[in-house]
Each structure stands twice: as structure tokens, then as C-alpha cells.
Amino acid sequence: MINYTEKIPNNIDLGRDRILQRALEHWQPAFLGWWFDMGPTESRTYDVYLRTAVSVEPDGWAQFGYVKMPEYRWGIFLQPRDEQRQVNFGTHKGQPAWQEVPGEYRSILRRIIVTQGDTEPASVEQQKMLGLSCPSLYDLRNIFQVNVEEGRHLWAMVYLLHRYFGRDGREEAEALLERRSGDTDNPRILGAFNEPTPDWLAFYMFTFFTDRDGKFQLCALAESGFDPLSRTCRFMLTEEAHHMFVGETGVSRIIQRTCEVMKENKVEDPDKVRALGVIDLQTIQKYLNFHYSVTLDLYGSDVSSNAANYFTSGLKGRFEETKLNDDHKLTEAGYPVSEVVGDKIVTKEVPALTALNERLRDDYIREIESGISRWQRVIDKAGIPFRLTLPHKGFHRAIGNFAGHYISPDGQVLNEGAWKNHEFDWLPGPKDHAFVQSLMSGRVTEPGKFANWIAPPARGINNQPLNFEYVRFN
Ligand SMILES: [Fe+2]
Ligand SMILES: [Fe+2]
């Protein structure tokens, strides 16, 4: 018998829910099997200085201590219930928020939860090998922290499937452990989650760009009229903030180190910068272009009847829905979307209800822009005349109105040949990947040491010093 509160920290009264216990008794060993197969390579016996959530109270969601990752206490936490909460948008606006799944929306709600849940184990799979080339113990600890929390996010979605969807929920929960990132026969559901994360620059870009898509999706689901989904997503957002921090500061530290070396040696030519063992700013720009464009696709088609349905039925809201000042039904409003006509990109107004994917993408882009300007400041401070730019929204897109078109980063509509001629000026090519890999051939494990291509962080984790032993290899 499992002692549930001990093994699985939770605030859902798991100790009394026999049906849920039985479901988890089957699923939990399968989850551990998945972790052993697809979690971080060779990490089983390591003691890692991790934060574990043990309650939703301010002092309970961030407890630090050494943990072996397979023994991490994957918990189930929902933000406490607000008895007054209502459905805040769509046709059911003003009704009490749903505590059980509304029968008519059962299958689309299940689909939404499965799609979100699928991204969580996918990113762990994508990052599986990176521990073997970590630039420091601090960074190694951070990637492991991200990995266990993505594992916990999977638990969060699996809880909803088990608790609210009966047998088909259980089947979906099993399938979440069976798909594999990048697998040709049984891939993860969304494109960006089947791309490899081959090196640490890619990892930081991923956590900056793609975990931020996670944030915006969770924010939209946190508005849901289905209250258990809303409360689950609200708690997940507290953890997502750390993942984006890891990404933003990781890229920033790489930029900082490159700028230091460029200044010390008075070099600007990318080949000479590379020869000094740091990543040239041009390559960083290419990685940025790649991760930004594949992440934009995650928001789906610019015009989408599914998105309209999710909203009208009260299941998925807009970013900060309850802070917006309108009718929350969108029966009259319009919204601009872009499309390619001939060799021009034109903007047209469509019903706002159908443009909700595009709107969420635009909210996301605004936040990305301010992150990029923080990276730019590091370059400006060093006095180096290089500008990081966000490519045009239509660049390198595979989903939506730009799919099938060849748009340059500055927004020119090109033909396929012209675009292909420049492909590796804009996106990392095999040579760029090989160069970045060459910097990351081994791991740096001495406490307080950092690889040459990255600057140390401003401070350690949980007020620990930089030379703290964040991971013990045993
Ligand atoms: Fe997550
Ligand atoms: Fe995340």
C-alpha cells in the first residue's frame, strides 16, 4: 500500500479518493519506467539540489534539498478553489464555473488536456542527453530541475484525465507515456516537440521561446470555465517562470561571454570569434530565428474554427481574459491577420472569434520582444555594434497563412530558390551545429567552474554560492 500523502504530495485529498488511487497505482510504475528510459541519461544515482513543491502555500512550493531524481516527489497541486468563480467568457458567461466535465464538451476538453500534457514528457525526451555536456554543476542542476517539473506537469494533466475522464482518460494517460519525441511511428503531437535539442544553446533557446509558449497556453487554460483545469494550470505557471528564467539567463550569459572575449581580443569576424572558443553572435541570431519560428507554429492556424469553439464553449480563454475590457463573447469584434497575396504580405480583418490563435501568438510576441531587448542590452553595454533582430512573423513557418511561402527574415516574399540560397545564412546549418557541438564535447563538473563559452550567473540557486555542489555524482 502506498502512503499517498508521503509519496505523492497533493492538495486533492488523494488519501480518500480510492478510484484515483487505483488509477495512479497502475500509472505511476509506468511513469517511472518512462523516466528510466527517457529521462536524463545516466542520472539515476545523482543527488541533485532540487526544489520540490510540497504544498501550494507560499512556504511549501519551493523546498530545497538533495534528491535522487527517480525519488522526486511528483505532486498533484491545484490552486485553492474560489467558490464564487464563474465561467468568464463565451456563451456560458456568468454561470458558475464547472466542477465536473460538461458532457457536451467532454471530447474537446480531453483533447485540450492531452495536447498540453503531451508537451511535458516531450521536452524531457528532447533534453535527455544534455547532462553529458553541461557547462557547470549550476547549469546541470537547472536542467534537471526543469526536467522533474515537466514530469510533474505531466502528472498534473494525468490527474485530470484519471479523475474526470474515466476509462478513456486512463487510456490517454497511458498513451502519453508511449509517444516519443521525434519518433517516426509514434511522435509527440506538436511539431516543435519533435525537433531535437542537440546542444545547450538550443536548450536555452527552447526554454526561452518554447517554454514561454507553454506559459501562454497555460494562461489561456487558466481562464477555463472547467475549474479543475484552471486551478491546475495556475499552479503550473509558478514553475514555468523558472524555466523561462533558465532560458533567458542562459542565452544572456552566452552573449555576455562572447562579448567579453570579442572585446578582450578586439575581434569581430565570426571565424575569429569561433577560434577563441565562444559562440559568435551570428550563430546566436540563427538559433534565435529557428526557435522563434518553430514556436510560433505551436499557436496553430491564424484563422481557426477550433479556437473559436474552444472560446465560445468557455474552455480556453484569451491571455488575461478577465482583465480585458470587452463583452468576452466577441460576437462583433474583428482582428487583423496577415496573408500572402502574390508577392506581398497583406493584412485583413477577420472575425476576432476565429483569430484567437493569432491573438495569443501576438501576445506572446510582445513578451518575446522585451526579452530580446534585454539580450541586446548586454551587447550594447560591451560597445559591440551588432543588433539581434526578431525575424518577420512569416519567416520559416509551417502552419497557418504563411505555410508554403518563402518569407525572408525581413519580410520579403521570395521564391523557393532565392530562399534556399540563404537558408543557412538565416538558420543554423550542419556546420553551425557541428561548431556548437565541438564546444560542448564534455561536461564541466568542478564546483564553481564554467565552460569557456558561457559566463557564470549573477547568483546561485536559493542563495547558495556559485561553487556550491549542486549535483553530487556518487
Ligand atoms: Fe511544463
Ligand atoms: Fe516548462
Side-chain angles (χ1 to χ4, degrees), residues 85-297:
R85 189 164 180 271
Q86 299 183 337
V87 182
N88 294 312
F89 57 91
T91 48
H92 303 283
K93 184 174 179 300
Q95 296 174 11
W98 304 304
Q99 300 306 323
E100 293 294 331
V101 176
E104 56 190 314
Y105 301 139
R106 190 185 157 83
S107 67
I108 46 174
L109 195 50
R110 192 182 63 216
R111 189 75 198 152
I112 289 172
I113 293 168
V114 166
T115 306
Q116 176 61 41
D118 192 67
T119 65
E120 315 290 357
S123 64
V124 176
E125 292 165 2
Q126 288 169 293
Q127 296 159 14
K128 177 176 172 54
M129 301 301 291
L130 291 177
L132 302 179
S133 57
C134 65
S136 73
L137 288 186
Y138 166 90
D139 291 280
L140 184 62
R141 177 267 168 206
N142 280 352
I143 196 171
F144 289 160
Q145 182 72 55
V146 170
N147 292 159
V148 292
E149 285 176 352
E150 300 305 4
R152 208 199 66 74
H153 290 178
L154 172 61
W155 274 75
M157 293 298 117
V158 163
Y159 157 70
L160 294 173
L161 291 169
H162 279 157
R163 168 67 181 76
Y164 295 96
F165 292 89
R167 180 170 162 189
D168 39 342
R170 287 197 296 281
E171 286 168 3
E172 293 283 12
E174 276 162 34
L176 285 169
L177 297 174
E178 284 157 10
R179 285 184 286 274
R180 289 287 182 272
S181 176
D183 192 290
T184 34
D185 298 327
N186 195 13
R188 293 295 171 184
I189 295 169
L190 300 171
F193 291 91
N194 288 302
E195 296 284 347
T197 308
D199 57 63
W200 281 77
L201 179 56
F203 168 67
Y204 294 128
M205 290 286 178
F206 184 96
T207 41
F208 177 80
F209 286 104
T210 310
D211 281 72
R212 194 178 311 276
D213 160 69
K215 170 191 164 171
F216 278 80
Q217 300 298 340
L218 291 175
C219 282
L221 296 177
E223 303 291 343
S224 182
F226 178 49
D227 205 39
L229 176 61
S230 164
R231 292 163 56 207
T232 304
C233 291
R234 278 172 214 277
F235 189 73
M236 290 162 77
L237 280 164
T238 58
E239 290 159 329
E240 211 60 74
H242 175 68
H243 307 176
M244 292 180 293
F245 161 85
V246 168
E248 179 168 337
T249 55
V251 175
S252 181
R253 289 161 54 212
I254 292 175
I255 293 173
Q256 189 189 328
R257 181 63 189 142
T258 298
C259 291
E260 282 167 12
V261 169
M262 287 172 75
K263 270 185 76 179
E264 270 166 35
N265 295 278
K266 302 197 174 56
V267 291
E268 284 188 11
D269 177 72
D271 288 332
K272 291 183 180 151
V273 173
R274 285 186 175 196
L276 294 164
V278 293
I279 305 172
D280 52 298
L281 299 172
Q282 289 76 1
T283 298
I284 293 172
Q285 175 71 58
K286 289 186 203 177
Y287 271 65
L288 183 163
N289 292 350
F290 176 79
H291 287 272
Y292 178 61
S293 56
V294 299
T295 304
L296 288 185
D297 276 339

Side-chain angles (χ1 to χ4, degrees), residues 393-409:
K393 203 196 254 186
F395 171 72
H396 189 233
R397 291 287 304 283
I399 289 176
N401 289 350
F402 290 109
H405 294 283
Y406 293 92
I407 315 291
S408 68

